[in-house]
Coordinates of all heavy atoms in Angstrom, one line a residue:
I63 N 86.4 102.2 85.0 CA 87.6 102.7 84.3 C 87.6 104.2 84.2 O 88.6 104.9 84.5 CB 87.8 102.1 82.9 CG1 88.2 100.6 83.1 CG2 88.9 102.8 82.1 CD1 88.0 99.8 81.8
L64 N 86.4 104.8 83.8 CA 86.3 106.2 83.7 C 86.4 106.8 85.1 O 87.1 107.9 85.3 CB 84.9 106.6 83.1 CG 84.6 108.1 83.0 CD1 85.5 108.8 82.1 CD2 83.1 108.3 82.6
E65 N 85.8 106.2 86.1 CA 85.9 106.7 87.5 C 87.3 106.8 88.0 O 87.7 107.8 88.6 CB 85.1 105.7 88.4 CG 85.0 106.1 89.8 CD 84.2 105.1 90.6 OE1 83.0 104.8 90.2 OE2 84.7 104.4 91.5
I66 N 88.1 105.8 87.7 CA 89.5 105.7 88.1 C 90.3 106.8 87.4 O 91.1 107.6 88.0 CB 90.1 104.4 87.9 CG1 89.5 103.3 88.8 CG2 91.6 104.4 88.1 CD1 89.9 101.9 88.5
T67 N 90.1 106.9 86.1 CA 90.8 107.9 85.3 C 90.5 109.3 85.8 O 91.4 110.2 86.0 CB 90.5 107.8 83.8 OG1 90.7 106.4 83.4 CG2 91.4 108.7 83.0
V68 N 89.2 109.6 85.9 CA 88.8 111.0 86.4 C 89.4 111.3 87.8 O 89.8 112.4 88.0 CB 87.3 111.1 86.3 CG1 86.8 112.4 87.0 CG2 86.8 111.0 84.9
Y69 N 89.3 110.3 88.6 CA 89.8 110.5 90.0 C 91.3 110.8 90.0 O 91.8 111.8 90.7 CB 89.6 109.2 90.8 CG 90.3 109.2 92.1 CD1 89.9 110.0 93.2 CD2 91.5 108.5 92.3 CE1 90.5 110.0 94.4 CE2 92.2 108.5 93.5 CZ 91.7 109.2 94.6 OH 92.4 109.3 95.8
Q70 N 92.1 110.1 89.2 CA 93.6 110.4 89.1 C 93.8 111.7 88.5 O 94.8 112.4 88.9 CB 94.3 109.2 88.3 CG 94.3 107.9 89.0 CD 95.0 107.9 90.4 OE1 95.8 108.8 90.6 NE2 94.7 107.0 91.2
V71 N 93.1 112.1 87.5 CA 93.2 113.4 86.9 C 92.9 114.5 87.9 O 93.7 115.5 88.1 CB 92.3 113.6 85.7 CG1 92.3 115.1 85.2 CG2 92.8 112.7 84.5
N72 N 91.9 114.3 88.7 CA 91.5 115.3 89.8 C 92.6 115.4 90.8 O 93.0 116.5 91.2 CB 90.2 114.9 90.4 CG 89.0 115.4 89.6 OD1 89.1 116.3 88.8 ND2 87.9 114.7 89.8
V73 N 93.1 114.2 91.3 CA 94.1 114.2 92.3 C 95.4 114.9 91.8 O 96.1 115.6 92.5 CB 94.5 112.8 92.7 CG1 95.7 112.7 93.6 CG2 93.3 112.2 93.5
L74 N 95.7 114.7 90.5 CA 97.0 115.3 90.0 C 96.8 116.8 89.6 O 97.8 117.5 89.9 CB 97.3 114.5 88.7 CG 98.7 114.9 88.0 CD1 99.8 114.5 88.9 CD2 98.8 114.2 86.7
L75 N 95.7 117.2 89.1 CA 95.6 118.5 88.5 C 94.7 119.5 89.2 O 94.9 120.7 89.2 CB 95.1 118.4 87.0 CG 96.0 117.6 86.1 CD1 95.4 117.5 84.7 CD2 97.4 118.2 86.0
F76 N 93.6 119.0 89.9 CA 92.6 119.9 90.3 C 92.5 120.0 91.9 O 92.4 121.1 92.4 CB 91.3 119.6 89.7 CG 91.3 119.7 88.2 CD1 91.2 118.6 87.4 CD2 91.4 120.9 87.6 CE1 91.2 118.7 86.0 CE2 91.4 121.0 86.2 CZ 91.3 119.9 85.4
D77 N 92.4 118.8 92.5 CA 92.1 118.8 94.0 C 93.0 119.7 94.8 O 92.6 120.4 95.7 CB 92.1 117.4 94.5 CG 90.9 116.6 94.0 OD1 90.0 117.2 93.5 OD2 90.8 115.4 94.2
P78 N 94.4 119.7 94.5 CA 95.3 120.5 95.4 C 95.0 122.0 95.3 O 95.4 122.7 96.2 CB 96.7 120.1 94.8 CG 96.5 118.8 94.2 CD 95.1 118.8 93.6
Y79 N 94.3 122.4 94.2 CA 94.1 123.8 94.0 C 92.7 124.3 94.3 O 92.4 125.5 94.2 CB 94.5 124.2 92.6 CG 95.9 123.7 92.2 CD1 96.0 122.6 91.4 CD2 97.0 124.4 92.6 CE1 97.3 122.1 91.1 CE2 98.3 123.9 92.3 CZ 98.4 122.8 91.5 OH 99.7 122.3 91.2
Q80 N 91.8 123.3 94.6 CA 90.4 123.7 94.9 C 90.2 124.1 96.4 O 89.2 124.7 96.7 CB 89.5 122.5 94.6 CG 89.4 122.3 93.1 CD 88.5 121.2 92.7 OE1 88.0 120.4 93.6 NE2 88.2 121.0 91.4
S81 N 91.2 123.8 97.2 CA 91.1 124.1 98.6 C 92.4 124.5 99.2 O 93.4 123.8 98.9 CB 90.5 123.0 99.4 OG 90.5 123.2 100.8
A82 N 92.4 125.6 100.0 CA 93.7 126.0 100.6 C 94.2 125.0 101.7 O 95.3 124.9 102.0 CB 93.6 127.4 101.2
N83 N 93.2 124.2 102.2 CA 93.5 123.2 103.3 C 93.6 121.8 102.7 O 93.3 120.8 103.5 CB 92.4 123.3 104.4 CG 92.4 124.7 105.0 OD1 93.4 125.3 105.3 ND2 91.2 125.2 105.2
Y84 N 93.9 121.6 101.4 CA 93.9 120.3 100.8 C 95.0 119.5 101.5 O 96.2 119.9 101.7 CB 94.2 120.4 99.3 CG 94.4 119.1 98.7 CD1 93.4 118.2 98.4 CD2 95.7 118.6 98.4 CE1 93.5 117.0 97.8 CE2 95.9 117.4 97.7 CZ 94.8 116.6 97.4 OH 95.0 115.4 96.8
N85 N 94.7 118.2 101.9 CA 95.7 117.3 102.5 C 95.3 115.9 102.2 O 94.1 115.6 101.9 CB 95.9 117.6 104.0 CG 94.6 117.4 104.7 OD1 94.2 116.3 105.0 ND2 94.0 118.5 105.1
V86 N 96.2 115.0 102.3 CA 95.9 113.5 102.2 C 96.3 112.8 103.5 O 97.1 113.3 104.3 CB 96.7 112.9 101.0 CG1 96.3 113.6 99.7 CG2 98.2 113.1 101.2
K87 N 95.7 111.7 103.7 CA 95.9 110.9 104.9 C 97.4 110.5 105.0 O 98.0 110.6 106.0 CB 95.0 109.7 104.9 CG 95.2 108.9 106.2 CD 94.3 107.6 106.2 CE 94.5 106.9 107.5 NZ 93.7 105.6 107.6
S88 N 97.9 110.0 103.8 CA 99.3 109.6 103.8 C 99.8 109.6 102.3 O 99.0 109.1 101.5 CB 99.5 108.2 104.4 OG 100.7 107.6 104.0
Y89 N 100.9 110.1 102.1 CA 101.4 110.2 100.7 C 101.7 108.8 100.2 O 101.5 108.4 99.1 CB 102.7 111.0 100.6 CG 103.1 111.4 99.2 CD1 102.4 112.4 98.6 CD2 104.1 110.7 98.5 CE1 102.7 112.8 97.3 CE2 104.4 111.1 97.2 CZ 103.7 112.1 96.6 OH 104.0 112.4 95.3
R90 N 102.3 107.9 101.1 CA 102.5 106.5 100.7 C 101.2 105.8 100.4 O 101.1 104.9 99.5 CB 103.3 105.8 101.8 CG 104.8 106.2 101.8 CD 105.5 105.5 102.9 NE 107.0 105.9 102.9 CZ 107.4 107.0 103.4 NH1 106.6 107.9 104.0 NH2 108.7 107.3 103.4
R91 N 100.2 106.1 101.2 CA 98.9 105.5 100.9 C 98.4 105.9 99.5 O 97.8 105.1 98.8 CB 97.9 105.9 102.0 CG 96.4 105.4 101.8 CD 95.6 105.9 102.9 NE 94.2 105.5 102.7 CZ 93.3 106.2 102.0 NH1 93.7 107.4 101.4 NH2 92.0 105.8 101.9

Side-chain angles (χ1 to χ4, degrees):
I63 291 164
L64 176 63
E65 182 180 302
I66 291 170
T67 306
V68 171
Y69 170 76
Q70 291 300 337
V71 169
N72 279 335
V73 168
L74 183 69
L75 299 177
F76 299 109
D77 286 350
Y79 307 103
Q80 289 181 352
S81 171
N83 299 318
Y84 174 77
N85 58 76
V86 296
K87 182 180 179 182
S88 164
Y89 195 79
R90 288 179 176 80
R91 176 180 178 273

